[in-house]
Amino acid sequence: MSRISITGSDRVFVLTGAGISAESGLPTFRAEDGLWAGYRIEDVCTPDAWQRNPAEVWAFYSARRAAGAKAQPNPAHFALAQLEHQLGDRFFLCTQNVDDLHERAGSRRLVHMHGELAKSRCERDCGRPPVSDHAIYSSLAEVGRCSCGGRLRPHIVFFGEIPFEMDRIQAEIAQSTLMLVIGTSGSVYPAAGFVNWARQKGARTVYIGPEPPLNAYAFTQVVEGKAGETLPGLFSVA
Ligand code: NAD
Ligand code: ZN
């Protein structure tokens, strides 16, 4: 397998998806049966689901928290942390994942565009910032309230909501010369469109994962393989 060369003038933007955490034992999004960890997405990941049945939404995200706390970063997470160490502020990581495996592997220059499992915030978006919350709730009665009276909701971008940090993400993509996209099916927008923004700016675009994504046509190169087996040793940094 040929290595990806990164020169002293490259700026690297990385987008990761559920696939990078698959080898850590966290299930990816849509399995064959159309369910995510046994739930229908519409029942647990939409603003409508939160309005109708907050107890079920919290049951789902409590289970995700429990699984996330048990999982360990894999060699792919560590390889990206090492690349950041080598490139400093010429490296930027945007993850669609809500787990904290990138941070636990040592990544620092990163944003969680779809939120973070280990935080909660006011359902009324009253302006108070998200709070750290590792609780695994067994009933809705245990879930706290914001000082404004709103119930705490998971700090997660539900389907139909606008992802976080889009201005910063756009600015980082505009400056980048190499985009690496790892373990994402290319079906969830706006993330699936980032590769097109990078190409418009003339960046090289590389996808890494066991199968080509839906938007494979937009990549300069597709490296087929599992992230944890492929990423270590993939980069040659000049
Ligand atoms: P997806 O489930 O739609 O696609 C997963 C992709 O990972 C597929 O393309 C698959 O080929 C690839 N993959 C599977 N095993 C892999 C491996 N070992 N190495 C590399 N790639 C591998 O995931 P998505 O595109 O990220 O979209 C799902 C949405 O659900 C995201 O918005 C994300 O927020 C959320 N999600 C997050 C987590 C998490 O935080 N760990 C887990 C599941 C879903
Ligand atoms: Zn509030």
Side-chain angles (χ1 to χ4, degrees), residues 6-14 83-84 86-93 109 172 175-178 237-238:
I6 300 175
T7 69
S9 56
D10 274 323
R11 292 188 70 95
V12 180
F13 182 100
V14 184
L83 189 59
E84 174 180 339
Q86 290 170 289
L87 299 178
D89 63 6
R90 294 188 292 117
F91 175 97
F92 188 79
L93 172 59
R109 286 180 51 79
E172 291 287 347
Q175 293 189 68
S176 65
T177 59
L178 172 61
V237 180

Side-chain angles (χ1 to χ4, degrees), residues 1 21 26 32 39 61 67 70 113-114 116 146 167 177 179 211 216:
M1 184 182 53
S21 296
L26 300 180
E32 297 288 308
Y39 285 80
Y61 282 105
K70 269 193 262 157
M113 67 179 289
H114 290 159
E116 293 173 69
C146 174
D167 290 347
T177 59
M179 175 177 278
E211 62 201 357

Side-chain angles (χ1 to χ4, degrees), residues 122 124 126 128 146 148 150:
C122 179
R124 293 181 187 159
C126 65
R128 291 176 179 84
C146 174
C148 80

Side-chain angles (χ1 to χ4, degrees), residues 3-81:
R3 298 176 86 200
I4 295 169
S5 62
I6 300 175
T7 69
S9 56
D10 274 323
R11 292 188 70 95
V12 180
F13 182 100
V14 184
L15 172 68
T16 63
I20 199 165
S21 296
E23 288 158 86
S24 296
L26 300 180
T28 59
F29 174 45
R30 231 172 245 278
E32 297 288 308
D33 55 9
L35 301 179
W36 180 10
Y39 285 80
R40 289 190 330 150
I41 305 304
E42 311 79 273
D43 292 339
V44 289
C45 293
T46 61
D48 188 49
W50 175 252
Q51 292 308 323
R52 257 182 313 146
N53 196 346
E56 190 171 20
V57 173
W58 264 123
F60 176 74
Y61 282 105
S62 290
R64 304 274 69 67
R65 279 182 181 176
K70 269 193 262 157
Q72 297 299 330
N74 70 55
H77 297 105
F78 287 114
L80 291 179

Side-chain angles (χ1 to χ4, degrees), residues 121-128 145-152:
R121 73 168 192 273
C122 179
E123 64 177 344
R124 293 181 187 159
D125 282 326
C126 65
R128 291 176 179 84
R145 294 215 173 239
C146 174
S147 49
C148 80
R151 183 177 271 137
L152 288 182

Side-chain angles (χ1 to χ4, degrees), residues 94-146:
C94 171
T95 186
Q96 297 171 83
N97 295 344
V98 297
D99 65 56
D100 61 357
L101 297 178
H102 283 302
E103 290 91 323
R104 283 162 54 198
S107 288
R108 293 295 172 264
R109 286 180 51 79
L110 86 164
V111 295
H112 283 271
M113 67 179 289
H114 290 159
E116 293 173 69
L117 267 179
K119 290 183 181 172
S120 300
R121 73 168 192 273
C122 179
E123 64 177 344
R124 293 181 187 159
D125 282 326
C126 65
R128 291 176 179 84
V131 293
S132 168
D133 183 4
H134 297 267
I136 291 162
Y137 298 113
S138 51
S139 82
L140 198 56
E142 295 170 11
V143 177
R145 294 215 173 239
C146 174

Side-chain angles (χ1 to χ4, degrees), residues 88 135 142 184 220:
E142 295 170 11
T184 173
T220 339

